[in-house]
Amino acid sequence: MEFAFYLSGLVAVLATLGVIISPNPVHALLYLIVSLIAVAMVFFSLGAPFAGALEIIVYAGAIMVLFVFVVMMLNLGEAAVEQEKAWLSPGPGGGRRCWPRCCW
């Protein structure tokens, strides 16, 4: 059981890093589902099957299906991703380009 605890904890941490790093929102949601299932496995390995079952049913089941549905309905294309990268890029023309005008 100790091996299962550490293995599922490692999977949860790596999947959460995948959520943070992934530029594709659908992939980030899939990583989040894997992370939530891994946290449920941590609960199971600690001897709390009710908490693990609730984690899977409520979070990984219901809420993540809603998130995936919303992302699929938004249907963000490559143009929206490039525009967001341009807005968030540091340097001339990106980042805080309108900041001095907004504050003066």
Side-chain angles (χ1 to χ4, degrees), residues 26-60:
V26 176
H27 292 166
L29 284 175
L30 291 175
Y31 283 130
L32 187 58
I33 291 171
V34 170
S35 174
L36 290 173
I37 290 174
V39 169
M41 295 308 295
V42 168
F43 284 133
F44 283 127
S45 66
L46 287 175
F50 184 71
L54 282 180
E55 179 86 20
I56 290 174
I57 292 170
V58 173
Y59 291 113

PDB file of all heavy atoms in Angstrom, residues 26-60:
ATOM      1  N   VAL A  26      -7.544  21.563 -23.898  1.00  0.00           N
ATOM      2  CA  VAL A  26      -8.116  20.220 -23.810  1.00  0.00           C
ATOM      3  C   VAL A  26      -7.120  19.271 -23.132  1.00  0.00           C
ATOM      4  O   VAL A  26      -7.494  18.464 -22.279  1.00  0.00           O
ATOM      5  CB  VAL A  26      -8.517  19.705 -25.208  1.00  0.00           C
ATOM      6  CG1 VAL A  26      -9.016  18.277 -25.142  1.00  0.00           C
ATOM      7  CG2 VAL A  26      -9.563  20.607 -25.812  1.00  0.00           C
ATOM      8  N   HIS A  27      -5.848  19.388 -23.500  1.00  0.00           N
ATOM      9  CA  HIS A  27      -4.830  18.562 -22.851  1.00  0.00           C
ATOM     10  C   HIS A  27      -4.708  18.909 -21.374  1.00  0.00           C
ATOM     11  O   HIS A  27      -4.506  18.012 -20.542  1.00  0.00           O
ATOM     12  CB  HIS A  27      -3.490  18.724 -23.543  1.00  0.00           C
ATOM     13  CG  HIS A  27      -3.463  18.165 -24.922  1.00  0.00           C
ATOM     14  ND1 HIS A  27      -2.456  18.438 -25.816  1.00  0.00           N
ATOM     15  CD2 HIS A  27      -4.320  17.348 -25.578  1.00  0.00           C
ATOM     16  CE1 HIS A  27      -2.692  17.816 -26.945  1.00  0.00           C
ATOM     17  NE2 HIS A  27      -3.832  17.149 -26.830  1.00  0.00           N
ATOM     18  N   ALA A  28      -4.820  20.182 -21.045  1.00  0.00           N
ATOM     19  CA  ALA A  28      -4.755  20.585 -19.637  1.00  0.00           C
ATOM     20  C   ALA A  28      -5.913  19.982 -18.844  1.00  0.00           C
ATOM     21  O   ALA A  28      -5.728  19.540 -17.698  1.00  0.00           O
ATOM     22  CB  ALA A  28      -4.771  22.110 -19.522  1.00  0.00           C
ATOM     23  N   LEU A  29      -7.097  19.942 -19.432  1.00  0.00           N
ATOM     24  CA  LEU A  29      -8.234  19.322 -18.747  1.00  0.00           C
ATOM     25  C   LEU A  29      -8.041  17.825 -18.570  1.00  0.00           C
ATOM     26  O   LEU A  29      -8.404  17.263 -17.534  1.00  0.00           O
ATOM     27  CB  LEU A  29      -9.523  19.593 -19.512  1.00  0.00           C
ATOM     28  CG  LEU A  29     -10.089  20.992 -19.352  1.00  0.00           C
ATOM     29  CD1 LEU A  29     -11.290  21.170 -20.246  1.00  0.00           C
ATOM     30  CD2 LEU A  29     -10.451  21.257 -17.921  1.00  0.00           C
ATOM     31  N   LEU A  30      -7.470  17.174 -19.569  1.00  0.00           N
ATOM     32  CA  LEU A  30      -7.211  15.745 -19.431  1.00  0.00           C
ATOM     33  C   LEU A  30      -6.170  15.471 -18.349  1.00  0.00           C
ATOM     34  O   LEU A  30      -6.292  14.515 -17.580  1.00  0.00           O
ATOM     35  CB  LEU A  30      -6.775  15.158 -20.773  1.00  0.00           C
ATOM     36  CG  LEU A  30      -7.864  15.117 -21.842  1.00  0.00           C
ATOM     37  CD1 LEU A  30      -7.298  14.627 -23.165  1.00  0.00           C
ATOM     38  CD2 LEU A  30      -9.017  14.254 -21.398  1.00  0.00           C
ATOM     39  N   TYR A  31      -5.140  16.316 -18.280  1.00  0.00           N
ATOM     40  CA  TYR A  31      -4.159  16.194 -17.194  1.00  0.00           C
ATOM     41  C   TYR A  31      -4.822  16.424 -15.833  1.00  0.00           C
ATOM     42  O   TYR A  31      -4.483  15.770 -14.852  1.00  0.00           O
ATOM     43  CB  TYR A  31      -3.014  17.185 -17.365  1.00  0.00           C
ATOM     44  CG  TYR A  31      -1.992  16.800 -18.402  1.00  0.00           C
ATOM     45  CD1 TYR A  31      -1.602  17.701 -19.379  1.00  0.00           C
ATOM     46  CD2 TYR A  31      -1.403  15.543 -18.392  1.00  0.00           C
ATOM     47  CE1 TYR A  31      -0.654  17.361 -20.325  1.00  0.00           C
ATOM     48  CE2 TYR A  31      -0.460  15.195 -19.336  1.00  0.00           C
ATOM     49  CZ  TYR A  31      -0.085  16.111 -20.300  1.00  0.00           C
ATOM     50  OH  TYR A  31       0.851  15.770 -21.233  1.00  0.00           O
ATOM     51  N   LEU A  32      -5.759  17.354 -15.785  1.00  0.00           N
ATOM     52  CA  LEU A  32      -6.453  17.616 -14.525  1.00  0.00           C
ATOM     53  C   LEU A  32      -7.304  16.422 -14.099  1.00  0.00           C
ATOM     54  O   LEU A  32      -7.374  16.094 -12.910  1.00  0.00           O
ATOM     55  CB  LEU A  32      -7.319  18.874 -14.657  1.00  0.00           C
ATOM     56  CG  LEU A  32      -7.984  19.395 -13.391  1.00  0.00           C
ATOM     57  CD1 LEU A  32      -6.946  19.698 -12.325  1.00  0.00           C
ATOM     58  CD2 LEU A  32      -8.795  20.624 -13.694  1.00  0.00           C
ATOM     59  N   ILE A  33      -7.931  15.752 -15.057  1.00  0.00           N
ATOM     60  CA  ILE A  33      -8.699  14.551 -14.729  1.00  0.00           C
ATOM     61  C   ILE A  33      -7.770  13.462 -14.192  1.00  0.00           C
ATOM     62  O   ILE A  33      -8.079  12.801 -13.199  1.00  0.00           O
ATOM     63  CB  ILE A  33      -9.482  14.071 -15.969  1.00  0.00           C
ATOM     64  CG1 ILE A  33     -10.589  15.062 -16.295  1.00  0.00           C
ATOM     65  CG2 ILE A  33     -10.060  12.678 -15.747  1.00  0.00           C
ATOM     66  CD1 ILE A  33     -11.276  14.800 -17.605  1.00  0.00           C
ATOM     67  N   VAL A  34      -6.615  13.284 -14.827  1.00  0.00           N
ATOM     68  CA  VAL A  34      -5.643  12.298 -14.338  1.00  0.00           C
ATOM     69  C   VAL A  34      -5.172  12.666 -12.935  1.00  0.00           C
ATOM     70  O   VAL A  34      -5.039  11.803 -12.061  1.00  0.00           O
ATOM     71  CB  VAL A  34      -4.451  12.186 -15.313  1.00  0.00           C
ATOM     72  CG1 VAL A  34      -3.323  11.358 -14.720  1.00  0.00           C
ATOM     73  CG2 VAL A  34      -4.900  11.591 -16.624  1.00  0.00           C
ATOM     74  N   SER A  35      -4.953  13.944 -12.703  1.00  0.00           N
ATOM     75  CA  SER A  35      -4.522  14.392 -11.375  1.00  0.00           C
ATOM     76  C   SER A  35      -5.582  14.110 -10.318  1.00  0.00           C
ATOM     77  O   SER A  35      -5.264  13.640  -9.216  1.00  0.00           O
ATOM     78  CB  SER A  35      -4.205  15.889 -11.415  1.00  0.00           C
ATOM     79  OG  SER A  35      -3.921  16.366 -10.133  1.00  0.00           O
ATOM     80  N   LEU A  36      -6.839  14.374 -10.629  1.00  0.00           N
ATOM     81  CA  LEU A  36      -7.905  14.117  -9.665  1.00  0.00           C
ATOM     82  C   LEU A  36      -8.087  12.630  -9.394  1.00  0.00           C
ATOM     83  O   LEU A  36      -8.352  12.228  -8.258  1.00  0.00           O
ATOM     84  CB  LEU A  36      -9.205  14.747 -10.156  1.00  0.00           C
ATOM     85  CG  LEU A  36      -9.238  16.275 -10.137  1.00  0.00           C
ATOM     86  CD1 LEU A  36     -10.501  16.781 -10.804  1.00  0.00           C
ATOM     87  CD2 LEU A  36      -9.126  16.794  -8.735  1.00  0.00           C
ATOM     88  N   ILE A  37      -7.930  11.811 -10.415  1.00  0.00           N
ATOM     89  CA  ILE A  37      -8.025  10.366 -10.207  1.00  0.00           C
ATOM     90  C   ILE A  37      -6.851   9.875  -9.367  1.00  0.00           C
ATOM     91  O   ILE A  37      -7.005   9.001  -8.508  1.00  0.00           O
ATOM     92  CB  ILE A  37      -8.126   9.643 -11.559  1.00  0.00           C
ATOM     93  CG1 ILE A  37      -9.478   9.941 -12.191  1.00  0.00           C
ATOM     94  CG2 ILE A  37      -7.932   8.137 -11.408  1.00  0.00           C
ATOM     95  CD1 ILE A  37      -9.643   9.413 -13.591  1.00  0.00           C
ATOM     96  N   ALA A  38      -5.666  10.454  -9.571  1.00  0.00           N
ATOM     97  CA  ALA A  38      -4.508  10.071  -8.762  1.00  0.00           C
ATOM     98  C   ALA A  38      -4.702  10.478  -7.301  1.00  0.00           C
ATOM     99  O   ALA A  38      -4.307   9.742  -6.385  1.00  0.00           O
ATOM    100  CB  ALA A  38      -3.242  10.691  -9.327  1.00  0.00           C
ATOM    101  N   VAL A  39      -5.319  11.633  -7.068  1.00  0.00           N
ATOM    102  CA  VAL A  39      -5.612  12.037  -5.686  1.00  0.00           C
ATOM    103  C   VAL A  39      -6.635  11.088  -5.064  1.00  0.00           C
ATOM    104  O   VAL A  39      -6.533  10.746  -3.876  1.00  0.00           O
ATOM    105  CB  VAL A  39      -6.095  13.506  -5.651  1.00  0.00           C
ATOM    106  CG1 VAL A  39      -6.645  13.871  -4.294  1.00  0.00           C
ATOM    107  CG2 VAL A  39      -4.963  14.436  -6.022  1.00  0.00           C
ATOM    108  N   ALA A  40      -7.586  10.633  -5.862  1.00  0.00           N
ATOM    109  CA  ALA A  40      -8.534   9.634  -5.362  1.00  0.00           C
ATOM    110  C   ALA A  40      -7.817   8.337  -5.006  1.00  0.00           C
ATOM    111  O   ALA A  40      -8.149   7.691  -4.000  1.00  0.00           O
ATOM    112  CB  ALA A  40      -9.613   9.367  -6.401  1.00  0.00           C
ATOM    113  N   MET A  41      -6.817   7.973  -5.782  1.00  0.00           N
ATOM    114  CA  MET A  41      -6.035   6.778  -5.454  1.00  0.00           C
ATOM    115  C   MET A  41      -5.240   6.970  -4.171  1.00  0.00           C
ATOM    116  O   MET A  41      -5.039   6.014  -3.410  1.00  0.00           O
ATOM    117  CB  MET A  41      -5.108   6.414  -6.617  1.00  0.00           C
ATOM    118  CG  MET A  41      -5.834   5.994  -7.875  1.00  0.00           C
ATOM    119  SD  MET A  41      -7.049   4.697  -7.637  1.00  0.00           S
ATOM    120  CE  MET A  41      -6.023   3.355  -7.150  1.00  0.00           C
ATOM    121  N   VAL A  42      -4.796   8.195  -3.915  1.00  0.00           N
ATOM    122  CA  VAL A  42      -4.132   8.478  -2.628  1.00  0.00           C
ATOM    123  C   VAL A  42      -5.116   8.250  -1.485  1.00  0.00           C
ATOM    124  O   VAL A  42      -4.761   7.637  -0.467  1.00  0.00           O
ATOM    125  CB  VAL A  42      -3.576   9.925  -2.605  1.00  0.00           C
ATOM    126  CG1 VAL A  42      -3.160  10.325  -1.206  1.00  0.00           C
ATOM    127  CG2 VAL A  42      -2.411  10.068  -3.553  1.00  0.00           C
ATOM    128  N   PHE A  43      -6.347   8.711  -1.646  1.00  0.00           N
ATOM    129  CA  PHE A  43      -7.352   8.475  -0.611  1.00  0.00           C
ATOM    130  C   PHE A  43      -7.605   6.983  -0.410  1.00  0.00           C
ATOM    131  O   PHE A  43      -7.719   6.512   0.717  1.00  0.00           O
ATOM    132  CB  PHE A  43      -8.671   9.174  -0.955  1.00  0.00           C
ATOM    133  CG  PHE A  43      -8.655  10.655  -0.726  1.00  0.00           C
ATOM    134  CD1 PHE A  43      -9.147  11.512  -1.697  1.00  0.00           C
ATOM    135  CD2 PHE A  43      -8.175  11.194   0.452  1.00  0.00           C
ATOM    136  CE1 PHE A  43      -9.150  12.880  -1.495  1.00  0.00           C
ATOM    137  CE2 PHE A  43      -8.175  12.549   0.669  1.00  0.00           C
ATOM    138  CZ  PHE A  43      -8.662  13.404  -0.310  1.00  0.00           C
ATOM    139  N   PHE A  44      -7.695   6.238  -1.508  1.00  0.00           N
ATOM    140  CA  PHE A  44      -7.913   4.795  -1.402  1.00  0.00           C
ATOM    141  C   PHE A  44      -6.756   4.120  -0.676  1.00  0.00           C
ATOM    142  O   PHE A  44      -6.961   3.240   0.152  1.00  0.00           O
ATOM    143  CB  PHE A  44      -8.099   4.157  -2.777  1.00  0.00           C
ATOM    144  CG  PHE A  44      -9.453   4.388  -3.379  1.00  0.00           C
ATOM    145  CD1 PHE A  44      -9.584   4.912  -4.650  1.00  0.00           C
ATOM    146  CD2 PHE A  44     -10.602   4.069  -2.676  1.00  0.00           C
ATOM    147  CE1 PHE A  44     -10.819   5.113  -5.207  1.00  0.00           C
ATOM    148  CE2 PHE A  44     -11.859   4.262  -3.233  1.00  0.00           C
ATOM    149  CZ  PHE A  44     -11.966   4.789  -4.498  1.00  0.00           C
ATOM    150  N   SER A  45      -5.526   4.528  -0.992  1.00  0.00           N
ATOM    151  CA  SER A  45      -4.371   3.889  -0.354  1.00  0.00           C
ATOM    152  C   SER A  45      -4.236   4.278   1.117  1.00  0.00           C
ATOM    153  O   SER A  45      -3.614   3.552   1.889  1.00  0.00           O
ATOM    154  CB  SER A  45      -3.086   4.239  -1.110  1.00  0.00           C
ATOM    155  OG  SER A  45      -2.804   5.613  -1.000  1.00  0.00           O
ATOM    156  N   LEU A  46      -4.817   5.400   1.517  1.00  0.00           N
ATOM    157  CA  LEU A  46      -4.793   5.797   2.930  1.00  0.00           C
ATOM    158  C   LEU A  46      -5.911   5.144   3.731  1.00  0.00           C
ATOM    159  O   LEU A  46      -5.995   5.326   4.942  1.00  0.00           O
ATOM    160  CB  LEU A  46      -4.900   7.319   3.057  1.00  0.00           C
ATOM    161  CG  LEU A  46      -3.656   8.105   2.657  1.00  0.00           C
ATOM    162  CD1 LEU A  46      -3.945   9.595   2.705  1.00  0.00           C
ATOM    163  CD2 LEU A  46      -2.498   7.761   3.550  1.00  0.00           C
ATOM    164  N   GLY A  47      -6.786   4.410   3.051  1.00  0.00           N
ATOM    165  CA  GLY A  47      -7.861   3.733   3.754  1.00  0.00           C
ATOM    166  C   GLY A  47      -9.120   4.559   3.887  1.00  0.00           C
ATOM    167  O   GLY A  47      -9.902   4.353   4.808  1.00  0.00           O
ATOM    168  N   ALA A  48      -9.324   5.488   2.974  1.00  0.00           N
ATOM    169  CA  ALA A  48     -10.532   6.312   2.982  1.00  0.00           C
ATOM    170  C   ALA A  48     -11.265   6.118   1.652  1.00  0.00           C
ATOM    171  O   ALA A  48     -11.224   6.988   0.771  1.00  0.00           O
ATOM    172  CB  ALA A  48     -10.168   7.774   3.187  1.00  0.00           C
ATOM    173  N   PRO A  49     -11.928   4.975   1.481  1.00  0.00           N
ATOM    174  CA  PRO A  49     -12.567   4.707   0.181  1.00  0.00           C
ATOM    175  C   PRO A  49     -13.742   5.623  -0.130  1.00  0.00           C
ATOM    176  O   PRO A  49     -13.993   5.924  -1.293  1.00  0.00           O
ATOM    177  CB  PRO A  49     -13.030   3.254   0.305  1.00  0.00           C
ATOM    178  CG  PRO A  49     -13.135   3.012   1.757  1.00  0.00           C
ATOM    179  CD  PRO A  49     -12.108   3.877   2.416  1.00  0.00           C
ATOM    180  N   PHE A  50     -14.435   6.104   0.900  1.00  0.00           N
ATOM    181  CA  PHE A  50     -15.560   7.004   0.649  1.00  0.00           C
ATOM    182  C   PHE A  50     -15.072   8.331   0.065  1.00  0.00           C
ATOM    183  O   PHE A  50     -15.654   8.854  -0.896  1.00  0.00           O
ATOM    184  CB  PHE A  50     -16.349   7.238   1.935  1.00  0.00           C
ATOM    185  CG  PHE A  50     -17.567   8.084   1.735  1.00  0.00           C
ATOM    186  CD1 PHE A  50     -18.671   7.582   1.059  1.00  0.00           C
ATOM    187  CD2 PHE A  50     -17.624   9.373   2.224  1.00  0.00           C
ATOM    188  CE1 PHE A  50     -19.797   8.356   0.860  1.00  0.00           C
ATOM    189  CE2 PHE A  50     -18.737  10.161   2.033  1.00  0.00           C
ATOM    190  CZ  PHE A  50     -19.826   9.658   1.350  1.00  0.00           C
ATOM    191  N   ALA A  51     -13.995   8.874   0.635  1.00  0.00           N
ATOM    192  CA  ALA A  51     -13.435  10.123   0.110  1.00  0.00           C
ATOM    193  C   ALA A  51     -12.911   9.923  -1.308  1.00  0.00           C
ATOM    194  O   ALA A  51     -13.068  10.801  -2.169  1.00  0.00           O
ATOM    195  CB  ALA A  51     -12.331  10.634   1.023  1.00  0.00           C
ATOM    196  N   GLY A  52     -12.289   8.781  -1.583  1.00  0.00           N
ATOM    197  CA  GLY A  52     -11.810   8.503  -2.930  1.00  0.00           C
ATOM    198  C   GLY A  52     -12.943   8.373  -3.925  1.00  0.00           C
ATOM    199  O   GLY A  52     -12.856   8.863  -5.050  1.00  0.00           O
ATOM    200  N   ALA A  53     -14.021   7.702  -3.518  1.00  0.00           N
ATOM    201  CA  ALA A  53     -15.173   7.558  -4.411  1.00  0.00           C
ATOM    202  C   ALA A  53     -15.835   8.903  -4.678  1.00  0.00           C
ATOM    203  O   ALA A  53     -16.244   9.192  -5.813  1.00  0.00           O
ATOM    204  CB  ALA A  53     -16.179   6.582  -3.804  1.00  0.00           C
ATOM    205  N   LEU A  54     -15.943   9.736  -3.650  1.00  0.00           N
ATOM    206  CA  LEU A  54     -16.508  11.075  -3.864  1.00  0.00           C
ATOM    207  C   LEU A  54     -15.631  11.909  -4.790  1.00  0.00           C
ATOM    208  O   LEU A  54     -16.146  12.669  -5.617  1.00  0.00           O
ATOM    209  CB  LEU A  54     -16.672  11.798  -2.526  1.00  0.00           C
ATOM    210  CG  LEU A  54     -17.870  11.398  -1.689  1.00  0.00           C
ATOM    211  CD1 LEU A  54     -17.896  12.211  -0.394  1.00  0.00           C
ATOM    212  CD2 LEU A  54     -19.157  11.596  -2.445  1.00  0.00           C
ATOM    213  N   GLU A  55     -14.327  11.780  -4.645  1.00  0.00           N
ATOM    214  CA  GLU A  55     -13.391  12.503  -5.514  1.00  0.00           C
ATOM    215  C   GLU A  55     -13.621  12.117  -6.978  1.00  0.00           C
ATOM    216  O   GLU A  55     -13.669  12.984  -7.853  1.00  0.00           O
ATOM    217  CB  GLU A  55     -11.958  12.179  -5.100  1.00  0.00           C
ATOM    218  CG  GLU A  55     -10.904  12.840  -5.927  1.00  0.00           C
ATOM    219  CD  GLU A  55     -10.567  14.220  -5.443  1.00  0.00           C
ATOM    220  OE1 GLU A  55     -10.838  14.553  -4.288  1.00  0.00           O
ATOM    221  OE2 GLU A  55     -10.008  14.972  -6.258  1.00  0.00           O
ATOM    222  N   ILE A  56     -13.776  10.833  -7.227  1.00  0.00           N
ATOM    223  CA  ILE A  56     -13.975  10.378  -8.610  1.00  0.00           C
ATOM    224  C   ILE A  56     -15.346  10.785  -9.126  1.00  0.00           C
ATOM    225  O   ILE A  56     -15.469  11.317 -10.234  1.00  0.00           O
ATOM    226  CB  ILE A  56     -13.791   8.845  -8.698  1.00  0.00           C
ATOM    227  CG1 ILE A  56     -12.329   8.494  -8.480  1.00  0.00           C
ATOM    228  CG2 ILE A  56     -14.256   8.329 -10.051  1.00  0.00           C
ATOM    229  CD1 ILE A  56     -12.051   7.022  -8.412  1.00  0.00           C
ATOM    230  N   ILE A  57     -16.382  10.576  -8.335  1.00  0.00           N
ATOM    231  CA  ILE A  57     -17.746  10.849  -8.813  1.00  0.00           C
ATOM    232  C   ILE A  57     -17.985  12.342  -8.990  1.00  0.00           C
ATOM    233  O   ILE A  57     -18.473  12.792 -10.033  1.00  0.00           O
ATOM    234  CB  ILE A  57     -18.780  10.237  -7.852  1.00  0.00           C
ATOM    235  CG1 ILE A  57     -18.716   8.717  -7.916  1.00  0.00           C
ATOM    236  CG2 ILE A  57     -20.187  10.719  -8.186  1.00  0.00           C
ATOM    237  CD1 ILE A  57     -19.520   8.040  -6.833  1.00  0.00           C
ATOM    238  N   VAL A  58     -17.638  13.124  -7.981  1.00  0.00           N
ATOM    239  CA  VAL A  58     -17.974  14.547  -8.017  1.00  0.00           C
ATOM    240  C   VAL A  58     -17.014  15.329  -8.897  1.00  0.00           C
ATOM    241  O   VAL A  58     -17.425  16.038  -9.810  1.00  0.00           O
ATOM    242  CB  VAL A  58     -18.018  15.130  -6.591  1.00  0.00           C
ATOM    243  CG1 VAL A  58     -18.195  16.628  -6.624  1.00  0.00           C
ATOM    244  CG2 VAL A  58     -19.120  14.481  -5.789  1.00  0.00           C
ATOM    245  N   TYR A  59     -15.711  15.206  -8.632  1.00  0.00           N
ATOM    246  CA  TYR A  59     -14.756  16.050  -9.353  1.00  0.00           C
ATOM    247  C   TYR A  59     -14.407  15.492 -10.716  1.00  0.00           C
ATOM    248  O   TYR A  59     -14.623  16.145 -11.740  1.00  0.00           O
ATOM    249  CB  TYR A  59     -13.495  16.263  -8.520  1.00  0.00           C
ATOM    250  CG  TYR A  59     -13.736  17.120  -7.312  1.00  0.00           C
ATOM    251  CD1 TYR A  59     -13.647  16.584  -6.039  1.00  0.00           C
ATOM    252  CD2 TYR A  59     -14.077  18.444  -7.455  1.00  0.00           C
ATOM    253  CE1 TYR A  59     -13.892  17.369  -4.926  1.00  0.00           C
ATOM    254  CE2 TYR A  59     -14.324  19.235  -6.352  1.00  0.00           C
ATOM    255  CZ  TYR A  59     -14.220  18.693  -5.095  1.00  0.00           C
ATOM    256  OH  TYR A  59     -14.466  19.457  -4.012  1.00  0.00           O
ATOM    257  N   ALA A  60     -13.840  14.294 -10.756  1.00  0.00           N
ATOM    258  CA  ALA A  60     -13.391  13.744 -12.038  1.00  0.00           C
ATOM    259  C   ALA A  60     -14.573  13.377 -12.927  1.00  0.00           C
ATOM    260  O   ALA A  60     -14.449  13.369 -14.144  1.00  0.00           O
ATOM    261  CB  ALA A  60     -12.502  12.530 -11.800  1.00  0.00           C
TER     262      ALA A  60
END
